[in-house]
Each structure stands twice: as C-alpha cells, then as structure tokens.
Amino acid sequence: MVEEHFTEEEKNKLPKHVAIIMDGNGRWAKSRKRPRLFGHRNGVENVRSVVNTAREIGVPYVTLYAFSAENQNRPEEEKSGLMRLLEEFLKRELNAMLRDGIRLRAIGDLDGLPEFANRIVRETIEKTKHNSDWNLTLALNYGSRQEVLDAIHAYSQSDQNIGQKPEWDDFSQHLQTRDLPDPDLIIRTSGEFRLSNFLLLQAAYSEIYVSPLHWPDFDRTAFIGALRDYVSRERRFGKTSEQLFSLQSS
Ligand code: FPP
C-alpha cells in the first residue's frame, strides 16, 4: 500500500515538472497475446489516469515521451495506429482541457508527423494557449540531440551572439522547452535504465525513477509511489548536505 496523503511539508517538496518515458506497451500486449496497438491503446487510457492524478496532487507540469524520432523506424501500421490514437485522444480530451484550464504544448518535429496528426496537435495547442492552470507537453517525433543541434543553429544565427561565450540561460532559450521548468523527476517504466534521447540537457539535475511496471500498468498508485520516493530524496545540486541544511535553516 502506498500512502496517498502528502503532508504540507511533503507537498512543498513535490516536483513541479515530471517527465515520463512511457515504455512497455508492446511487452504488456505481448504478455496478453494481443497486438502491440492494444498495448498502446491501454497506454493512452493510462495517460488520462496519470494526468488526473498529477493535477489532483499538485504537480503542475507533465511531459510525456509519446513518439520519439527513432520511433519513425517502426512498421507503418504501428506508426499510423499511434497517430490515430493521438488524434482520438486530443479530440476526446479537448473539452476537458478547456474546462480544466490545461495548456497543451508539444516538443519535437511536428512537421515530420502525418498531416492529420500535425494539424490536430497544432489546433489543440492553439485552442488551449490561454490556459494556465495546468501544463501537458507531448514529445512527438522528438529527439534531444536534434533539438540541441537546432538550438545551436538558432543561437549562432543571432548577431549579438557572434563571438560570445554562451551563457546557459541565453542558450536554453533556444531549446524547445524554453517555456518549461527543467524536469525535477524523470520516470521510466518497464525497467529500462536509459534516457533514450529524451531531454538530455534538461535532465542535468533531474532525479530518475525507474519502475518495473509496463506503462499500461503504471497506475495511480504506482505514480504516487514515484512521487513519494522523490519527496524522500535529498537534491543537492552539487552542494554538500551540510551546506543545504544551513541554507534551509537560514
Ligand atoms: C513504448 O512502448 C511506447 C511508445 C513508443 C508510445 C507511447 C505512446 C502512447 C502511450 C500513446 C500515445 C500518447 C498519447 C499522449 C495519446 P513500446 O512500444 O516501446 O513497448 P515495448 O518496449 O514493450 O515494445
């Protein structure tokens, strides 16, 4: 059993931004002798449950690795099935997003998605852009190395940067995550200990939590378990425990 209630002290330590690598849909389906898309469909259902739990508990930013640039190498049938699920999800959730003040953002190369998926993602971003109560970001056709190369290119195009030593705060404004805080916690399901080209620079100080559960099984209780694990950790950002303690008590 996981204790669902967070004390005020624990609430103050909750992550602001949780980014999730939703792995294991295929294995989940295979273990039930069902097609991979059945796993993805159940994965989408789980997105709703985890998003609702994050909102309820007070984690204001969630970013989901829904489709990596490398996923483009998957069979056409699986890719188009995933894109249809994405379309269905966004159509079905739009009213709830508007009602609940949820702003959708996306990172990744949207132009590399099929036209219908590109369109619905862009439309949903546009329709929710004035919302500010809660923040859902989908990484779609996303790869961190490409994002960094694009940022270097954009940074170096600006006249004022020529010959200057880059400062992180200026450079990071060229990343696609410029509107988001860095992820405090990165969760990966299905027991793999890898970042798989996800938010590599933004993860510099992130805590990482790996769950053995496949994504469709990573339910509310499992998510709360990950948050509980996070609040029990001490984040030092390179400082000693003693330095942190004296900062907190001053
Ligand atoms: C990894 O499982 C999961 C994906 C590649 C896609 C995740 C996508 C969704 C949950 C649905 C779309 C998302 C939204 C927000 C509508 P895998 O196929 O790599 O599993 P495996 O490693 O067991 O084969």
Side-chain angles (χ1 to χ4, degrees):
M1 271 298 286
V2 170
E3 171 56 49
E4 292 218 352
H5 177 74
F6 288 90
T7 62
E8 281 309 310
E9 194 189 340
E10 287 168 340
K11 277 188 191 157
N12 290 335
K13 288 166 98 183
L14 280 170
K16 263 186 84 163
H17 183 182
V18 176
I20 308 181
I21 304 175
M22 308 179 290
D23 199 7
N25 295 345
R27 275 163 282 177
W28 184 89
K30 194 172 177 200
S31 70
R32 286 163 176 75
K33 301 192 170 37
R34 301 295 299 270
R36 296 177 58 81
L37 271 175
F38 179 71
H40 292 316
R41 184 169 283 284
N42 281 273
V44 177
E45 288 311 313
N46 200 42
V47 165
R48 305 178 75 203
S49 139
V50 166
V51 161
N52 286 334
T53 308
R55 288 181 51 236
E56 178 202 320
I57 290 180
V59 173
Y61 290 84
V62 167
T63 296
L64 302 172
Y65 205 4
F67 192 80
S68 71
E70 290 75 19
N71 287 154
Q72 292 284 12
N73 299 321
R74 295 203 174 187
E76 282 306 321
E77 190 192 337
E78 181 171 349
K79 284 194 292 177
S80 62
L82 272 168
M83 291 301 126
R84 290 288 168 203
L85 284 174
L86 173 68
E87 180 190 35
E88 215 178 274
F89 171 82
L90 292 176
K91 279 189 176 160
R92 197 177 59 179
E93 299 301 325
L94 177 62
N95 284 340
M97 287 192 207
L98 295 174
R99 181 193 66 212
D100 297 334
I102 298 176
R103 177 169 181 179
L104 181 81
R105 294 181 179 84
I107 54 174
D109 177 14
L110 297 184
D111 290 335
L113 299 178
E115 176 53 31
F116 73 89
N118 185 347
R119 192 171 341 110
I120 183 102
V121 173
R122 288 185 190 280
E123 280 172 9
T124 313
I125 290 171
E126 183 62 27
K127 285 177 185 159
T128 63
K129 73 178 179 193
H130 297 300
N131 290 347
S132 57
D133 292 339
W134 200 77
N135 302 277
L136 176 64
T137 302
L138 299 180
L140 292 164
N141 198 22
Y142 174 83
S144 188
R145 284 185 172 174
Q146 191 58 52
E147 179 197 25
V148 172
L149 292 176
D150 292 344
I152 292 171
H153 184 68
Y155 179 90
S156 62
Q157 291 296 98
S158 167
D159 282 348
Q160 69 191 37
N161 292 332
I162 292 172
Q164 296 298 314
K165 213 169 145 196
E167 296 282 339
W168 172 252
D169 284 348
D170 295 333
F171 175 72
S172 62
Q173 285 308 306
H174 297 280
L175 294 170
Q176 294 191 332
T177 49
R178 65 184 75 83
D179 292 339
L180 308 174
D182 283 345
D184 303 294
L185 172 64
I186 295 183
I187 296 174
R188 181 166 188 152
T189 57
S190 228
E192 311 285 355
F193 289 74
R194 283 192 293 279
L195 284 177
S196 299
N197 208 11
F198 186 49
L199 301 177
L200 299 180
L201 297 187
Q202 298 86 339
Y205 292 101
S206 305
E207 295 293 322
I208 298 182
Y209 180 91
V210 175
S211 166
L213 298 172
H214 298 316
W215 173 248
D217 285 336
F218 188 78
D219 58 8
R220 172 190 169 84
T221 308
F223 182 62
I224 292 175
L227 296 179
R228 209 153 259 305
D229 184 272
Y230 174 87
V231 298
S232 73
R233 297 188 197 183
E234 182 184 78
R235 298 183 79 199
R236 302 218 306 259
F237 301 98
K239 298 192 170 64
T240 65
S241 304
E242 291 72 21
Q243 282 174 311
L244 275 184
F245 185 70
S246 69
L247 277 177
Q248 278 162 9
S249 52
S250 66

